[in-house]
Amino acid sequence: MDFHLKLSSAYVKKIAIFRALQLGDMLCAVPAIRALRASYPDAEITLLGLPWAKSFTERFKDYIDRFIWFPGYPGLPEQEFSAPVFCAFLEKMIGEEFNLVLQMQGNGTIVNPMIELLGAEYSAGYFKEGIYAPDNGLFMEYPNYGHESERHVKLMGFLGIPPLGTDLEFPLTARDYADFNETALPIEEKKYVCIHPGSRGAWRRWPPEYFARLADIVAGQGFTPVLTGTSDELDIVNAVVSHMFHPPVIAAGKTSMGAVAVLIAKAFALISNCTGVSHIAAALKTPSVVISLDGEPDRWAPQNRSLHDVIDWTVNPDFNLVSDAVERLFRK
């Protein structure tokens, strides 16, 4: 397939990407951003995102040059909206004089009118039929099918940007390894399994007692179960421990994002809900068993199903399916 840039790389020198979402969502956009950078190697690329994503920009410095905090907008649940703060943000954005702003948030129902207020020479992204989008030939109808990473790669192709695959990435840094070493966890590389029972959305969390049963299966196979999570998820982790017969190693609340990525990279496998760590495991090619409770495993779960076993709990709520998948890990 021939690709011809709709906007010349000789002309477009300042690009902003609007994607104000969480870790897993951001990792799924990396293949598209990778392709964008390759087609616009001399452009300055800025991410407009949530506060935490400043560290994401630093991690993906090969693809993204700058970060600007997006302060929220009516209808977007991730942050509380403040009209004065948003107006100051608009003033800053207009002053940036971007050549192009990419709307990579979603189907555009809420944010497309807002994107127009940012003052860029061109805007591009997705639209939903019957909902406003600029009539400039740079907005494609949102592909409500396929994996999340594929959807954004399709947008790049629509803009004439050749794809560079859909593999996820998670670069590990010297700081990540230093943070991991500081935890001094009593584990041996490839002799432990990470078990991550938390998730930002409560509806995506499998019951702690089920994770406990899987952790005991891991221990019964001679591997150390390592419970991971944030400090906010310690109650969930403690609930898992309360149902276990074997003592686990608790890493929850002790690791930075980078350290938990190193932990996953060195692990024999990961067992988790379909959440940010499952995307890290996919990026680092660590085998995993993922329990999907969001009803969209084809969109969010790891794509390599020979390496990652995905159980759609909304269709098959059978614990034996999950335990069989875990036991298969040790027979590979």
Side-chain angles (χ1 to χ4, degrees):
M1 180 178 179
D2 292 331
F3 291 90
H4 301 283
L5 291 177
K6 291 188 175 182
L7 295 174
S8 169
S9 60
Y11 176 74
V12 174
K13 297 301 182 185
K14 289 191 70 173
I15 300 172
I17 298 169
F18 174 66
R19 190 162 174 83
L21 296 169
Q22 301 297 339
L23 175 62
D25 309 272
M26 295 305 306
L27 291 177
C28 286
V30 167
I33 299 171
R34 177 171 65 225
L36 178 72
R37 166 55 76 200
S39 286
Y40 293 93
D42 299 321
E44 179 187 75
I45 298 177
T46 299
L47 175 65
L48 314 179
L50 301 178
W52 79 269
K54 186 177 188 298
S55 64
F56 180 89
T57 301
E58 293 164 353
R59 185 172 300 280
F60 287 93
K61 61 183 182 297
D62 287 348
Y63 302 150
I64 306 171
D65 300 296
R66 297 172 60 211
F67 171 79
I68 295 177
W69 170 54
F70 169 73
Y73 187 72
L76 299 182
E78 288 79 15
Q79 297 181 102
E80 184 176 348
F81 175 71
S82 166
V85 174
F86 181 74
C87 287
F89 168 75
L90 284 186
E91 184 176 0
K92 174 179 176 59
M93 291 303 298
I94 292 169
E96 289 281 349
E97 298 183 341
F98 286 107
N99 298 124
L100 172 65
V101 172
L102 284 168
Q103 189 280 99
M104 294 176 62
Q105 183 83 359
N107 65 23
T109 299
I110 295 173
V111 301
N112 278 356
M114 182 208 72
I115 293 294
E116 286 285 86
L117 299 176
L118 303 185
E121 189 170 1
Y122 295 99
S123 56
Y126 303 106
F127 74 91
K128 184 178 179 181
E129 186 175 357
I131 302 298
Y132 172 78
D135 185 18
N136 62 4
L138 300 176
F139 280 76
M140 68 172 284
E141 186 167 1
Y142 185 72
N144 199 22
Y145 57 87
H147 195 272
E148 182 72 4
S149 60
E150 294 173 344
R151 299 183 189 198
H152 296 297
V153 169
K154 284 181 183 295
L155 175 61
M156 296 300 108
F158 174 78
L159 298 173
I161 297 169
L164 292 175
T166 58
D167 286 350
L168 304 189
E169 299 180 36
F170 197 94
L172 296 173
T173 68
R175 179 73 260 173
D176 297 335
Y177 285 100
D179 288 347
F180 170 78
N181 290 335
E182 286 177 11
T183 65
L185 296 172
I187 53 176
E188 184 180 348
E189 185 170 346
K190 302 303 178 185
K191 295 295 185 181
Y192 64 89
V193 173
C194 291
I195 299 169
H196 191 91
S199 178
R200 184 174 295 271
W203 69 91
R204 292 186 299 177
R205 295 177 196 151
W206 208 44
E209 56 268 30
Y210 288 171
F211 276 111
R213 289 167 67 181
L214 297 184
D216 283 329
I217 290 173
V218 167
Q221 293 285 342
F223 287 75
T224 302
V226 178
L227 302 184
T228 62
T230 66
S231 297
D232 292 339
E233 294 170 330
L234 282 172
D235 287 347
I236 300 170
V237 169
N238 289 333
V240 173
V241 175
S242 72
H243 291 282
M244 289 181 63
F245 294 103
H246 297 85
V249 169
I250 298 177
K254 302 175 183 177
T255 52
S256 63
M257 182 187 298
V260 80
V262 174
L263 185 66
I264 291 170
K266 292 176 175 287
F268 177 78
L270 167 75
I271 302 170
S272 76
N273 297 301
C274 191
T275 190
V277 292
S278 65
H279 299 297
I280 292 176
L284 298 174
K285 296 180 171 52
T286 296
S288 68
V289 173
V290 176
I291 304 99
S292 172
L293 286 91
D294 58 20
E296 295 185 290
D298 290 340
R299 179 181 181 184
W300 293 111
Q303 297 181 80
N304 183 348
R305 297 302 170 84
S306 63
L307 191 63
H308 310 284
D309 218 326
V310 179
I311 294 88
D312 185 351
W313 191 256
T314 66
V315 175
N316 294 304
D318 183 348
F319 178 83
N320 290 329
L321 289 176
V322 186
S323 62
D324 288 348
V326 169
E327 289 176 353
R328 279 196 297 274
L329 286 171
F330 304 104
R331 297 199 296 269
K332 290 182 178 180

